Amino acid sequence: GFFQSYAVEVDVKDASNATCLYAKWMMKFLIKYETNSSDYKNASLNLSSNVTHNGSICGNDTQAALLSVQFGEGHSWSVNFTKTNETYQGDFITFTYNTNDTAVFPDAKRKGPITIVVKDTMRPVQLNNVFVCHNADVFEAENVTQIFWNVTVQAFVQNGTISKKESRCRADAPTSAPTVPPTIANVTTASTTTLSPSPTTAPNPVENPETGNYSLKSGNKTCLLATVGLQLNVSQDKPLLININPKTTSADGTCGNTTATLKLNDGNSTLIGF
């Protein structure tokens, strides 16, 4: 399968040997790197079975919590968590890969560790709640794609006990379509009118999808615009056509200096990322 990787489980203890930070997740990295012949190759970096979590810290009211893991030949990944009086959330994700690992980066032109930092898009989670996201989440920056799935994490654990209260990510939302189109801050969604079939004619399952207008903002400036009609053709036991309805589709994403990500969620477990 595409997502072949080891699951990572980290249980960070405080001075009294009580759990203060817990996480279990899977992740994979896709990296484009330059070779000595000045062309580019794609590398896939998976977690090994031997993972350490040196440098992870519990955090407190004045210090961020840090989840840090090391794996393979000099690779490492970390995320720090900050908290308010009522919530906690991921802040920055730092990923370092080592091109001296010739098994992963054969003939790499640039040698040594390379570090990528991206802003975590995790929404605030109530304290004493565990954050859960089974669907894949993707971060792209500087020729690196980071993919995470089956995530369970709780920072600032109270009384050393992992909570049974879950806060789910948007992608894990129930499959029933909302009765009112969802509203997302800094995102606008608009749809055009399409021809409807006559009352006596059965709907055509392969009709063209409606066109939606989606935009993202960075601060008060629009950083991404997309006008697109989307139809997915899924070939399994039977061909399946899915039209993405802009009236019930919410948009999310981020804009960076060199990359931008647009995520569309139609409320029916269909999540598309560009």
Side-chain angles (χ1 to χ4, degrees):
F2 178 72
F3 291 137
Q4 282 190 340
S5 184
Y6 287 92
V8 186
E9 186 172 16
V10 176
D11 189 347
V12 182
K13 307 284 188 180
D14 61 16
S16 63
N17 202 35
T19 296
C20 62
L21 174 60
Y22 175 82
K24 185 176 182 179
W25 75 103
M26 301 184 77
M27 63 182 175
K28 179 186 181 77
F29 305 94
L30 306 177
I31 303 165
K32 180 184 288 187
Y33 69 97
E34 187 176 7
T35 67
N36 286 314
S37 57
S38 296
D39 61 350
Y40 284 84
K41 288 185 177 181
N42 294 314
S44 177
L45 179 58
N46 297 304
L47 292 183
S48 64
S49 58
N50 185 19
V51 177
T52 59
H53 60 275
N54 300 324
S56 297
I57 57 177
C58 296
N60 51 42
D61 291 340
T62 59
Q63 182 183 28
L66 179 67
L67 177 64
S68 179
V69 295
Q70 304 81 38
F71 57 98
E73 300 295 325
H75 314 297
S76 63
W77 179 91
S78 67
V79 57
N80 67 313
F81 298 91
T82 55
K83 80 167 181 173
T84 64
N85 292 331
E86 299 179 351
T87 63
Y88 68 90
Q89 67 184 104
D91 192 6
F92 286 97
I93 294 173
T94 303
F95 170 52
T96 298
Y97 60 96
N98 184 12
T99 55
N100 286 326
D101 185 352
T102 56
V104 179
F105 304 100
D107 196 34
K109 183 176 183 179
R110 180 179 176 182
K111 297 295 185 180
I114 300 172
T115 298
I116 306 296
V117 179
V118 296
K119 178 70 175 176
D120 192 351
T121 57
M122 174 183 176
R123 293 185 297 173
V125 178
Q126 287 293 122
L127 289 174
N128 202 33
N129 278 26
V130 59
F131 175 77
V132 177
C133 192
H134 295 303
N135 280 272
D137 200 2
V138 178
F139 294 84
E140 297 181 63
E142 302 181 41
N143 293 330
V144 175
T145 300
Q146 304 181 50
I147 308 168
F148 308 91
W149 68 103
N150 287 347
V151 175
T152 300
V153 61
Q154 184 178 355
F156 306 100
V157 176
Q158 300 175 7
N159 301 319
T161 304
I162 305 301
S163 176
K164 296 186 181 300
K165 299 178 182 177
E166 292 185 354
S167 291
R168 291 284 185 140
C169 62
R170 291 190 186 100
D172 284 3
T175 57
S176 57
T179 56
V180 178
T183 301
I184 303 262
N186 292 336
V187 178
T188 58
T189 302
S191 60
T192 61
T193 303
T194 58
L195 294 176
S196 300
S198 62
T200 56
T201 304
N204 187 347
V206 293
E207 63 184 351
N208 290 333
E210 293 186 43
T211 299
N213 297 316
Y214 309 95
S215 67
L216 298 179
K217 286 188 176 182
S218 178
N220 59 0
K221 294 183 179 181
T222 299
C223 60
L224 187 150
L225 292 170
T227 300
V228 59
L230 289 168
Q231 182 180 85
L232 306 182
N233 187 335
V234 183
S235 297
Q236 295 178 330
D237 295 335
K238 297 180 180 179
L240 174 64
L241 292 178
I242 304 172
N243 281 347
I244 302 303
N245 183 358
K247 295 177 182 177
T248 58
T249 297
S250 62
D252 196 358
T254 57
C255 295
N257 292 330
T258 58
T259 60
T261 301
L262 174 66
K263 299 178 183 179
L264 302 180
N265 189 338
D266 76 340
N268 290 297
S269 296
T270 302
L271 180 67
I272 308 171
F274 299 92

